Amino acid sequence: MIGTSNNSLPSSIFTERGIALMTFHEAQVNNYSQFGKPSGGGNYEFDKLYPSLVSNGAYADWAWGLSRLNDGLQQLGSKRTKIDLQHIGVMGCSYAGKMALFCGALDERIALTIAQESGGGGAAAWRVSRSLEKVEGLDQTDGNWF
């Protein structure tokens, strides 16, 4: 199980079943900018690798980065990693829940996606969410991510 940004569920749920856990640190690709000022296009690691890609958002960058992590696992192989590469999963909560959704959707090698609450702009039913109190709305999330 790969946790996006962190492992959003209790580790014991997985480790008691012999499931390996690791974390994908998205800042190595494109920083999280919800509460701070974004560094801006061209200043993230992804941008340095692909300077001509100027219309993509952080979720596309993060999905690319997680796929590179998956590439590494595939190259090392099951014998070396002791990981069943046919059963890779990704999980996340809030903005990282959306990240998990993007990563799972864009890498066919991901067998399981757990978006444990995908926050504003995620998988919520917006017609219902708008009528509820204390629910994060689409307009309360970071537009740079998309």
Side-chain angles (χ1 to χ4, degrees), residues 5-143:
S5 191
N6 60 49
N7 294 318
S8 59
L9 295 170
S11 298
S12 61
I13 292 173
F14 303 102
T15 57
E16 289 174 358
R17 293 169 173 80
I19 298 170
L21 285 171
M22 66 179 62
T23 301
F24 168 64
H25 297 284
E26 76 280 1
Q28 294 175 322
V29 178
N30 186 328
N31 283 340
Y32 171 82
S33 62
Q34 176 79 7
F35 302 109
K37 186 176 180 184
S39 294
N43 295 315
Y44 298 116
E45 299 305 317
F46 181 89
D47 299 330
K48 293 172 188 173
L49 287 170
Y50 301 102
S52 63
L53 297 178
V54 295
S55 297
N56 51 300
Y59 284 118
D61 298 357
W62 292 332
W64 173 89
L66 189 124
S67 285
R68 302 300 65 82
L69 174 61
N70 206 352
D71 289 347
L73 291 172
Q74 302 287 327
Q75 286 181 1
L76 288 169
S78 291
K79 284 186 179 181
R80 192 174 212 177
T81 63
K82 309 291 188 242
I83 294 172
D84 180 352
L85 300 173
Q86 301 301 309
H87 294 96
I88 299 290
V90 63
M91 66 176 158
C93 181
S94 194
Y95 87 97
K98 289 185 285 293
M99 190 186 317
L101 283 172
F102 271 74
C103 293
L106 296 175
D107 190 330
E108 66 219 15
R109 300 169 294 181
I110 302 294
L112 173 67
T113 300
I114 301 174
Q116 181 200 342
E117 190 276 301
S118 56
W126 288 106
R127 285 183 238 167
V128 174
S129 295
R130 283 297 206 199
S131 66
L132 302 174
E133 292 183 30
K134 297 182 182 179
V135 175
E136 183 179 24
L138 182 59
D139 55 344
Q140 295 167 314
T141 194
D142 188 326

